[in-house]
Amino acid sequence: MAMLRTPDEIVAGCGRDRTVPPLVADRRMAALVEEARYGDQVAARILLQRVLPALIARSGVRARRGHASFGTLLAGYTSAAWIAILTYPLDRRPVKIAANIVYEAEHELFGRPPLIDRRTVPAVDIGAVLPLARLDGRPVDAPDDPLIEVVDVLARARRNGLAESAVRLLVELAVEGRTEREIALRTGVTERAVRGRRQRAVVQLTQLLELPAPPARIRRMGTAA
C-alpha cells in the first residue's frame, strides 16, 4: 500500500473502487486486519469505513422490514462490524474480507437470538476508538473524518423524520460516491430530476436538524463528472 497515502485512497484501494482487482483488495485488507488485531485502531477504522456503505444498506433493508429504526440499526451494525474486524479469522477467511465482515455483523445482530432485540448492542463510540495519530499525520483533535460526520448526520436526520428515500439518495451521493448522472441512468429519470431530489433532501435535512449548513461532503456530492 506504499502508493496509497490518504485514508480515502486506502479505502478505495481496498475495494471501494470497483476497478481494483478483488485479490489486490483482499491482500490490502488482510494487511490492515493483521494490524487491527494487534491494536492498530487506524487500520480498524479504515476497514470500518470500507464496509460502511454495505452496513448502511443493510440498515435500510432491516428498517423497512420493521426491525428497528434506521439509526438504531446503523449503530448496531457499526458496533458488530467493529468487533468482527478486531476478531477476524484471517487464517480461515483470507478472501472476500469485506463481505465476511458484513456477514459477521449481520450474524451477530440477527443470526443468533437477535442482539438488536435484546437491546444489548455494544455501543461503540467512534470518538473513543480514534487513533492517537491519523494516517495523514493530523492529530486526533483535528476535525473528524467527513464520512463519519455524514453518516452521523444522516442517521440523526432519519430519526427526526427525513424520508427513507431521501436518506438513500444522500447515501448514494455522499457515502457511495455516485454521481447524479449515474443515479439518473440507473433509475430512468433525468439528471435534473435527481438534482431536484437532492436539493429537496438537503433542505429537509437542514431544516429537520436545524443546521446552518449541511456537512461539506453533502454540499459537494453528485458534482463529479
Side-chain angles (χ1 to χ4, degrees):
M1 287 188 285
M3 299 298 292
L4 306 177
R5 301 177 183 276
T6 69
D8 283 346
E9 289 176 350
I10 295 174
V11 171
C14 286
R16 179 74 66 78
D17 180 350
R18 298 301 184 183
T19 65
V20 176
L23 289 178
V24 174
D26 275 327
R27 187 168 64 247
R28 290 167 174 168
M29 291 192 72
L32 291 172
V33 166
E34 286 281 12
E35 298 298 324
R37 293 194 306 178
Y38 285 96
D40 188 333
Q41 293 182 345
V42 178
R45 197 161 180 261
I46 290 292
L47 290 166
L48 183 62
Q49 290 185 23
R50 167 63 183 86
V51 300
L52 200 52
L55 301 180
I56 291 172
R58 294 307 305 161
S59 298
V61 170
R62 291 287 184 176
R64 287 197 300 274
R65 295 175 182 174
H67 289 275
S69 70
F70 177 83
T72 298
L73 287 160
L74 182 57
Y77 273 112
T78 302
S79 299
W82 183 262
I83 293 171
I85 289 166
L86 299 183
T87 60
Y88 189 84
L90 192 58
D91 53 337
R92 291 190 289 108
R93 296 180 178 178
V95 297
K96 298 183 178 179
I97 294 175
N100 283 327
I101 290 171
V102 175
Y103 169 82
E104 287 299 325
E106 177 84 11
H107 189 63
E108 179 66 19
L109 287 177
F110 295 101
R112 305 178 180 95
L115 192 62
I116 199 75
D117 292 343
R118 300 201 309 267
R119 298 178 180 274
T120 57
V121 178
V124 173
D125 178 1
I126 293 296
V129 296
L130 288 173
L132 295 178
R134 302 175 191 268
L135 290 181
D136 57 4
R138 290 181 299 147
V140 294
D141 56 355
D144 284 341
D145 189 294
L147 183 61
I148 298 299
E149 180 189 8
V150 167
V151 171
D152 177 64
V153 168
L154 292 176
R156 286 191 288 121
R158 184 70 180 101
R159 290 196 298 270
N160 281 274
L162 184 63
E164 183 179 329
S165 58
V167 172
R168 291 184 65 81
L169 175 62
L170 297 181
V171 165
E172 284 191 279
L173 291 165
V175 178
E176 297 178 359
R178 299 184 189 279
T179 65
E180 292 170 353
R181 178 179 300 175
E182 291 172 333
I183 295 173
L185 289 173
R186 180 178 60 79
T187 58
V189 300
T190 65
E191 288 185 57
R192 181 176 180 180
V194 175
R195 191 173 303 113
R197 293 173 186 174
R198 173 183 64 82
Q199 291 171 345
R200 288 192 296 272
V202 171
V203 168
Q204 291 168 7
L205 178 149
T206 304
Q207 293 174 341
L208 284 169
L209 299 183
E210 299 181 351
L211 297 174
R217 192 182 184 100
I218 289 181
R219 294 199 302 271
R220 296 194 304 268
M221 65 192 175
T223 57

